[in-house]
Amino acid sequence: MQRAEPVSTTGPGMKATIRNVAKLAGVAPSTVSHYLNRTAQLAPETAQNVERAIAALDYRVNWGARSLRLKRTHSIGLIIPNINTPYFGELAGIIENVLWDRSYQMLLCISERDPERELSHFATLVSRQVDGILMVYNQERENRAAQTKTPVPLVFLDRAVTGAPSVSSDNYLGGKLAAEHLISSGHRQIALLSGEPAIRNVADRLAGFNDVLARHGLRVLPEHTLEGLQDLELGSRVGELFLKRPYPTAVFATNDIVAISAWCELVRRGFRVPGDVSLIGFDDIQMSRFLVPPLTTVAQAAPRIGREAVELLVDLINRKDQFVNAAPTHVKVAPALMVRGSVAAPPEGGEP
Amino acid sequence: MQRAEPVSTTGPGMKATIRNVAKLAGVAPSTVSHYLNRTAQLAPETAQNVERAIAALDYRVNWGARSLRLKRTHSIGLIIPNINTPYFGELAGIIENVLWDRSYQMLLCISERDPERELSHFATLVSRQVDGILMVYNQERENRAAQTKTPVPLVFLDRAVTGAPSVSSDNYLGGKLAAEHLISSGHRQIALLSGEPAIRNVADRLAGFNDVLARHGLRVLPEHTLEGLQDLELGSRVGELFLKRPYPTAVFATNDIVAISAWCELVRRGFRVPGDVSLIGFDDIQMSRFLVPPLTTVAQAAPRIGREAVELLVDLINRKDQFVNAAPTHVKVAPALMVRGSVAAPPEGGEP
DNA sequence: TTGAAAGCGCTAACAC
DNA sequence: GTGTTAGCGCTTTCAA
């Protein structure tokens, strides 16, 4: 039992609940509810009274209570590895915008690539009754993906996951675009700054890249390949590609961050880009446009990915029949080559 | 009245509510609640039964319902102008992390610098019963700040706002640091890439900067001043500072984004940084470290700002006495000069 | 140690 | 058009 609150039950000190608004307006709570939700037409005078009461109490609906009743919170959860990786940050921004248009609220969760944390966030979101979840899945090897029971509509972002709907770039195509551009620019000795090939996205980019090379009778030499986490550190190891001749004349980095840090390191070592070495990245993060010259890269269409993902999720949410039964949709968004300044013909008289 | 759901009332198909868990375990709902919240010690056997029932139904508490009872959602709202401005993105990431430690959930709202949208987000957050709000206030002239009634604990971030608690950088000090560094490096002809002076943060940085200059008998010439929105476009206008001699030998940009875009433009025009022109920024965004040479800048301690803000907010939330009465706390975090590669002595024999 | 019951603020039958 | 009422899923007195 609740103890009685020592609050005046009729003054402006009364709590702003629908019940009190009703009392103050001299109507029933349901009438107020109807007014708020435009679910019935009130007599003008009644409406007036309700309006006044609402204003007097500075009343706002309690979304928590409404959600409990309606079983819809009109909120969705977004789980991403982190927010400072520009690509994810941009994605998050876009998604917030699309959700705003549809008047959904976004719970942002950052996993820091920690599977435990990711799982915990997921559970919390479910517990909070979000209407759906958007998620950049962290598990490199997908083991867990299949097991994921989804008590809530779920769309995977950025990486395709078997058995669940997803929206991602066509990474294979992206890899092809990079290779074609390098080859048509005249490069034959091409090096690779690769992420971990166990990661599906990386693998796809590599596959597309290598397939095109192979078709031209080319391949990347083992000593021209560096693998690692796709971060700044990997790029800064670019020097290892230039230990012995023949030097590569172009480098494909599987993301822009790596490309940019490689670029810095190359400049530090006296190489000019693209004069001595050409460089092509992947993602098209904002920063890429501000290098001098700007970075040639394969653009993932973040805006389209974000928008499609939200739309897919909202469809799932509104679907009357159980989403569980539907065959999962996989949306693949085509990336685009952004020809800018970091790729040129290989140097004339051999290498620097 | 609810219509009866055609769901078995006892099989594993029953809905995962505390009531059903109780039924399945042969106990009362309150007992399950006690078990969940460790608010009473259950007999071992009872506990077993409850556990089993929970597992059988895959039960998870409904946070919405709990919040309604408890009148605390354990969630907070963060409103920022956008997420792609690196400084705000970093702040958001830090805040999410601190909130994670305290097991709060974060609703992220982006205002896109639109006051209407900001207000709307604010109202929604209140309606959703967040326990508190963290907000980078958008109004340049603070008019609205005083009016803001806060039905919920509120801490302003990044910009101080009179009459409400806030956490921000000591921008005046930051301006001083920049000026001192430039002067001690030998510069006398200094130019300014200024944000709009109506913005308090900008004004403070400028004040600190100009005060130090004045103390040294220096000032920034009108033709060496460019004002505008603090974005890429402003930086790209840097050429306008070099229309007639004497050229400035150093440029202070009131944020890093502007500094970096100015840098690009300078390089494009054949100036070397810092050989011909020195450049100093403000913020210390991630990208600054990856230029060649890296950008000298005044670092805002984003991690400290984020952490302090969350702590202040949580204190406010937990305060038993009404937060409204407390004199608002203003936390000022001291920025730090990051001496890196973009400031050098002015060129010897005059200007380029 | 456990249970009965009230009620958080809201919506939606249904009756008038 | 408007009111009555039950109930969303949970916690919490209070009594047993």
Side-chain angles (χ1 to χ4, degrees):
Chain A
M1 219 177 292
Q2 299 290 108
R3 85 197 130 81
E5 292 279 330
V7 176
S8 71
T9 163
T10 171
M14 55 201 294
K15 274 176 51 192
T17 69
I18 205 174
R19 190 166 235 97
N20 283 339
V21 169
K23 199 176 292 178
L24 200 60
V27 300
S30 61
T31 306
V32 179
S33 175
H34 279 136
Y35 172 81
L36 291 169
N37 302 308
R38 310 181 196 299
T39 169
Q41 184 74 277
L42 304 204
E45 202 192 345
T46 317
Q48 282 266 329
N49 289 339
V50 171
E51 256 164 38
R52 260 197 286 275
I54 287 177
L57 294 181
D58 189 24
Y59 169 81
R60 322 155 180 241
V61 323
N62 179 324
W63 260 92
R66 171 180 280 176
S67 298
L68 182 58
R69 228 358 268 245
L70 258 34
K71 293 168 177 317
R72 308 177 79 242
T73 56
H74 236 78
S75 65
I76 74 102
L78 171 64
I79 307 179
I80 52 177
N82 74 58
I83 199 174
N84 296 317
T85 299
Y87 177 65
F88 293 135
E90 286 172 23
L91 214 44
I94 287 154
I95 287 168
E96 201 279 348
N97 266 287
V98 181
L99 289 174
W100 160 261
D101 291 339
R102 303 176 167 274
S103 54
Y104 271 83
Q105 212 73 18
M106 177 175 94
L107 283 151
L108 179 62
C109 300
I110 300 186
S111 68
E112 299 292 354
R113 298 182 199 284
D114 173 357
E116 296 310 317
R117 190 160 164 180
E118 183 178 82
L119 218 59
S120 162
H121 269 140
F122 189 91
T124 308
L125 289 174
V126 172
S127 221
R128 278 188 191 268
Q129 319 292 120
V130 294
D131 293 342
I133 296 181
L134 245 32
M135 162 172 201
V136 175
Y137 196 57
N138 219 343
Q139 295 308 93
E140 316 294 40
R141 284 168 229 285
E142 288 201 22
N143 294 341
R144 215 130 79 182
Q147 306 168 8
T148 313
K149 290 183 230 148
T150 73
V152 90
L154 170 62
V155 170
F156 287 97
L157 262 180
D158 183 60
R159 333 192 184 309
V161 167
T162 38
S166 68
V167 180
S168 59
S169 276
D170 186 340
N171 288 295
Y172 181 84
L173 172 59
K176 279 174 59 177
L177 293 175
E180 280 160 4
H181 183 57
L182 255 24
I183 291 175
S184 70
S185 299
H187 295 278
R188 295 296 175 266
Q189 298 289 339
I190 299 177
L192 211 47
L193 245 25
S194 156
E196 296 168 345
I199 300 177
R200 169 107 167 239
N201 279 359
V202 174
D204 289 350
R205 292 172 197 182
L206 257 35
F209 191 79
N210 288 325
D211 283 0
V212 169
L213 256 58
R215 197 179 311 143
H216 287 262
L218 301 172
R219 67 185 195 94
V220 177
L221 303 175
E223 62 267 33
H224 284 172
T225 303
L226 239 40
E227 278 176 17
L229 269 176
Q230 291 182 83
D231 61 8
L232 294 161
E233 198 268 334
L234 178 60
S236 66
R237 287 170 50 206
V238 68
E240 299 174 26
L241 301 173
F242 296 84
L243 293 180
K244 49 181 194 209
R245 307 196 175 246
Y247 288 171
T249 62
V251 178
F252 171 41
T254 52
N255 81 22
D256 281 357
I257 297 284
V258 173
I260 290 171
S261 97
W263 190 333
C264 291
E265 180 61 21
L266 286 170
V267 170
R268 213 167 278 130
R269 288 168 174 264
F271 291 89
R272 283 163 314 154
V273 175
D276 302 318
V277 187
S278 287
L279 196 53
I280 187 167
F282 206 108
D283 279 355
D284 191 24
I285 63 176
Q286 242 183 354
M287 188 166 158
S288 305
R289 281 184 287 280
F290 296 103
L291 304 174
V292 185
L295 182 72
T296 293
T297 190
V298 178
Q300 304 208 57
R304 269 204 56 208
I305 293 178
R307 180 165 300 275
E308 299 264 10
V310 171
E311 267 157 22
L312 191 52
L313 186 62
V314 171
D315 281 358
L316 249 29
I317 290 171
N318 293 330
R319 201 123 95 199
K320 283 281 161 277
D321 59 272
Q322 234 10 333
F323 52 89
V324 174
N325 307 325
T329 316
H330 291 273
V331 178
K332 280 230 176 293
V333 175
L337 180 68
M338 308 304 284
V339 177
R340 296 205 272 247
S342 65
V343 171
E348 290 272 327
E351 305 100 357
Chain B
M1 211 178 299
Q2 298 290 108
R3 85 196 129 83
E5 291 281 329
V7 176
S8 69
T9 164
T10 171
M14 57 202 295
K15 272 176 50 191
T17 69
I18 205 173
R19 189 168 233 98
N20 282 340
V21 170
K23 197 175 292 177
L24 201 60
V27 299
S30 59
T31 305
V32 179
S33 175
H34 280 135
Y35 171 82
L36 291 169
N37 302 306
R38 307 181 201 301
T39 171
Q41 183 72 277
L42 303 203
E45 202 192 344
T46 317
Q48 281 266 329
N49 289 339
V50 172
E51 256 163 38
R52 261 197 287 273
I54 287 177
L57 294 181
D58 189 23
Y59 169 80
R60 324 160 179 233
V61 322
N62 179 323
W63 261 91
R66 169 181 281 175
S67 298
L68 182 58
R69 237 344 276 243
L70 260 32
K71 293 170 178 314
R72 309 176 80 241
T73 56
H74 236 78
S75 65
I76 74 105
L78 172 64
I79 307 179
I80 53 178
N82 73 58
I83 201 175
N84 296 319
T85 299
Y87 177 66
F88 293 136
E90 286 172 22
L91 215 45
I94 287 153
I95 287 168
E96 201 277 350
N97 267 284
V98 180
L99 289 173
W100 160 260
D101 290 339
R102 302 174 167 276
S103 52
Y104 272 84
Q105 213 75 17
M106 178 174 94
L107 284 152
L108 180 62
C109 300
I110 299 187
S111 68
E112 299 291 354
R113 298 184 198 283
D114 172 356
E116 295 312 315
R117 189 161 162 179
E118 183 180 82
L119 218 60
S120 162
H121 271 315
F122 189 91
T124 307
L125 289 174
V126 172
S127 222
R128 277 187 192 270
Q129 320 292 119
V130 294
D131 292 342
I133 296 180
L134 246 32
M135 160 170 202
V136 175
Y137 195 59
N138 221 343
Q139 295 307 91
E140 317 292 42
R141 284 167 230 284
E142 289 202 20
N143 294 342
R144 211 129 81 181
Q147 307 167 7
T148 313
K149 290 184 233 148
T150 73
V152 91
L154 171 62
V155 170
F156 287 97
L157 261 180
D158 184 61
R159 333 193 184 308
V161 168
T162 39
S166 69
V167 179
S168 59
S169 277
D170 186 340
N171 288 295
Y172 182 84
L173 173 58
K176 281 174 59 177
L177 292 175
E180 281 160 4
H181 183 57
L182 255 24
I183 292 175
S184 72
S185 299
H187 295 278
R188 295 296 175 265
Q189 299 288 341
I190 300 176
L192 211 47
L193 245 26
S194 158
E196 297 168 347
I199 300 177
R200 168 106 169 241
N201 279 359
V202 173
D204 290 350
R205 291 172 197 182
L206 256 35
F209 191 79
N210 287 326
D211 284 359
V212 168
L213 255 56
R215 198 179 310 144
H216 288 261
L218 301 172
R219 67 187 196 92
V220 177
L221 302 175
E223 64 266 33
H224 284 171
T225 301
L226 240 42
E227 277 175 18
L229 270 176
Q230 292 181 82
D231 62 8
L232 293 160
E233 197 268 333
L234 178 60
S236 66
R237 288 170 48 205
V238 68
E240 298 175 26
L241 301 173
F242 295 84
L243 294 181
K244 51 180 193 212
R245 310 200 172 241
Y247 289 172
T249 63
V251 178
F252 171 41
T254 52
N255 80 23
D256 280 357
I257 296 285
V258 174
I260 291 172
S261 95
W263 191 332
C264 292
E265 180 60 20
L266 285 170
V267 170
R268 214 168 277 132
R269 288 167 173 266
F271 292 89
R272 283 163 315 152
V273 175
D276 303 318
V277 187
S278 286
L279 195 55
I280 186 167
F282 207 108
D283 279 354
D284 191 25
I285 63 177
Q286 242 185 354
M287 189 166 157
S288 305
R289 282 185 287 281
F290 296 105
L291 305 175
V292 186
L295 182 71
T296 294
T297 191
V298 178
Q300 302 207 60
R304 269 203 58 209
I305 293 178
R307 182 166 298 276
E308 299 264 7
V310 171
E311 268 157 21
L312 190 53
L313 185 63
V314 172
D315 281 358
L316 248 32
I317 290 172
N318 293 330
R319 203 122 98 195
K320 282 284 162 273
D321 60 271
Q322 235 8 333
F323 53 88
V324 175
N325 305 325
T329 315
H330 290 276
V331 178
K332 279 228 173 298
V333 175
L337 179 69
M338 308 305 283
V339 177
R340 297 205 272 245
S342 65
V343 171
E348 291 272 326
E351 304 99 358

